[in-house]
């Protein structure tokens, strides 16, 4: 897997929904990416002002953002517990954002560290987490060395919707691998560019591509990346968070539900939605996907 930096590519989109960057696809590996790629300095400035959340949550209410991500974080806790995580594990949430996932996990009895580089999100994170905030580090491993005390430390590292923001995924994942202990596991969740809504709704397709995401992964590309770095794939599954009502809204109205996304249909429709989500997940057609990988070869 490689980013196009002047090599052969084909145009996918003339622009994203919130910038004049193009989306191109590598003709060799199939990876779709933002073009031209931002520099690390440009990305640092961009994420410090946090434009995406200010766009999708116009009043920029932290509680509104928490509510929008609560269902998604609950789904993550479910699939991690189904996988078999244990309360005594040392866990790192890499790219912890506002700390919502850490907050919810701690209510379940887990203890987590975090890494976050966005100044805007760190302010909220530290205000919400109290004493736990002392375990949140503002370290950027793309341009900083891995601290020695973090090597071979963690039983589990989660990276939820982080890798798609990274212009140097191989370099970052090599350092992340060093942070795992001998039996450690890595969880990566990203948007799935192979999801079925890309075909079902032109409006959704246009909305999907944004300046924030520099890479757009398919299940095969993500698995190949991890295998090449010496991980063993334990689980690869879709994570269809948004409900059938949300998808019908895209198809009928051609616009997103920004303020209150529909994660579940009404009670009488839940049986249909259960089948729908299971089908999307099993066939890797879901909007999101996750991989759980083991450090062991």
């Amino acid at each position: 897997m490689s980013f196009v930096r002047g090599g052969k590519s084909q145009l996918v989109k003339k622009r994203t929904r919130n910038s004049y960057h193009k989306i191109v696809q590598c003709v060799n590996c199939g990876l779709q990416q933002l073009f031209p790629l931002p520099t690390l300095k440009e990305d640092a400035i961009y994420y410090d002002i946090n434009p995406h959340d200010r766009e999708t949550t116009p009043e920029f209410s932290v509680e509104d953002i928490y509510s929008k991500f609560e269902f998604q974080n609950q789904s993550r806790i479910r699939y991690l517990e189904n996988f078999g995580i244990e309360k005594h594990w040392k866990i790192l949430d890499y790219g912890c954002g506002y700390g919502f996932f850490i907050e919810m996990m701690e209510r379940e009895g887990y203890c987590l560290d975090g890494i976050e580089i966005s100044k805007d999100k760190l302010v909220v994170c530290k205000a919400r987490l109290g004493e736990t905030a002392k375990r949140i580090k503002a370290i950027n491993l793309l341009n900083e060395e891995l601290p020695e005390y973090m090597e071979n430390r963690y039983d589990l590292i989660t990276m939820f919707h982080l890798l798609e923001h990274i212009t140097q995924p191989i370099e970052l994942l090599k350092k992340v691998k060093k942070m795992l202990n001998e039996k450690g596991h890595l969880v990566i969740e990203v948007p799935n560019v192979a999801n079925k809504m890309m075909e079902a709704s032109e409006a959704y397709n246009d909305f999907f591509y944004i300046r924030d995401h520099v890479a757009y992964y398919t299940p095969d590309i993500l698995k190949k990346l991890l295998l090449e770095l010496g991980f063993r794939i334990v689980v690869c599954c879709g994570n269809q968070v948004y409900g059938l009502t949300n998808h019908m809204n895209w198809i009928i109205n051609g616009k997103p539900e920004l303020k209150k996304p529909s994660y579940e249909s009404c009670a009488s429709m839940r049986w249909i939605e259960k089948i729908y989500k299971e089908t999307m997940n099993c066939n890797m057609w879901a909007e999101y996907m996750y991989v759980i990988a083991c450090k062991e070869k």
Side-chain angles (χ1 to χ4, degrees):
M1 189 212 84
S2 61
F3 280 89
V4 177
R5 301 179 190 271
K8 291 184 178 180
S9 64
Q10 58 188 23
L11 183 68
V12 176
K13 281 280 186 188
K14 292 182 179 179
R15 59 162 295 169
T16 73
R17 78 166 193 251
N18 60 352
S19 78
Y20 288 99
H21 291 81
K22 298 176 182 177
I23 301 296
V24 299
Q25 183 173 30
C26 175
V27 297
N28 295 316
C29 69
L31 179 73
Q32 294 185 17
Q33 66 161 82
L34 197 71
F35 190 85
L37 288 172
T39 64
L40 291 178
K41 184 177 180 180
E42 288 170 339
D43 262 352
I45 294 171
Y46 186 82
Y47 289 116
D48 277 347
I49 61 176
N50 194 14
H52 178 261
D53 285 350
R54 295 180 184 279
E55 173 200 356
T56 56
T57 311
E59 289 127 23
F60 197 64
S61 159
V62 173
E63 290 307 319
D64 283 350
I65 297 173
Y66 178 90
S67 296
K68 284 168 69 173
F69 284 97
E70 186 176 16
F71 189 91
Q72 191 168 337
N73 281 324
Q74 287 171 345
S75 77
R76 291 164 178 164
I77 293 173
R78 281 195 299 273
Y79 71 64
L80 288 175
E81 291 188 328
N82 288 338
F83 170 68
I85 62 171
E86 299 181 19
K87 296 282 172 59
H88 64 85
W89 280 12
K90 291 182 179 178
I91 303 174
L92 171 69
D93 187 20
Y94 196 124
C96 64
Y98 300 105
F100 298 151
F101 179 72
I102 292 177
E103 189 176 332
M104 293 176 68
M105 284 285 280
E106 294 215 325
R107 287 203 294 265
E108 298 296 323
Y110 298 93
C111 182
L112 282 73
D113 295 340
I115 290 178
E116 179 55 52
I117 63 170
S118 167
K119 292 178 181 178
D120 200 47
K121 292 181 178 179
L122 278 169
V123 170
V124 176
C125 191
K126 290 180 178 181
R128 290 184 70 91
L129 294 179
E131 285 296 308
T132 300
K134 294 178 181 178
R135 299 199 301 272
I136 310 301
K137 306 300 180 185
I139 178 172
N140 188 343
L141 292 181
L142 289 176
N143 53 26
E144 298 180 48
E145 291 300 317
L146 177 66
E148 189 174 341
Y149 78 90
M150 297 185 82
E151 293 185 10
N152 302 306
R153 179 178 177 83
Y154 294 103
D155 300 287
L156 180 72
I157 297 176
T158 59
M159 300 174 71
F160 297 124
H161 292 243
L162 172 69
L163 201 65
E164 69 269 25
H165 298 264
I166 304 299
T167 57
Q168 299 173 21
I170 293 173
E171 292 83 350
L172 177 62
L173 288 171
K174 284 180 178 178
K175 291 183 178 180
V176 168
K177 189 178 180 184
K178 289 181 180 179
M179 289 192 282
L180 290 169
N181 62 32
E182 187 178 352
K183 300 292 184 179
H185 289 82
L186 171 65
V187 178
I188 296 177
E189 183 182 289
V190 293
N192 176 18
V193 73
N195 80 77
K196 279 295 182 182
M197 284 300 293
M198 297 293 280
E199 304 170 13
S201 168
E202 183 178 352
Y204 175 93
N205 189 298
D206 290 339
F207 190 81
F208 185 82
Y209 293 105
I210 58 175
R211 155 64 181 87
D212 307 57
H213 297 171
V214 299
Y216 295 86
Y217 293 92
T218 66
D220 288 343
I221 290 174
L222 181 57
K223 287 189 292 184
K224 183 180 178 182
L225 170 61
L226 291 170
L227 290 170
E228 288 177 350
L229 290 171
F231 288 94
R232 177 168 60 85
I233 307 299
V234 181
V235 177
C236 182
C237 188
N239 186 26
Q240 185 57 51
V241 177
Y242 295 101
L244 187 56
T245 305
N246 179 278
H247 283 183
M248 294 306 296
N249 174 72
W250 271 112
I251 293 168
I252 295 169
N253 298 318
K255 60 183 181 180
E257 300 173 320
L258 290 180
K259 194 156 188 180
K260 291 184 178 179
S262 302
Y263 295 112
E264 294 182 303
S265 300
C266 61
S268 61
M269 296 285 289
R270 295 278 167 83
W271 66 276
I272 297 177
E273 185 159 271
K274 183 174 184 290
I275 296 171
Y276 179 70
K277 287 187 174 183
E278 287 175 351
T279 302
M280 299 291 271
N281 290 338
C282 291
N283 290 286
M284 300 303 295
W285 296 337
E287 289 168 306
Y288 303 146
M289 60 180 174
Y290 67 91
V291 170
I292 302 177
C294 183
K295 188 175 179 180
E296 294 177 324
K297 291 188 177 180

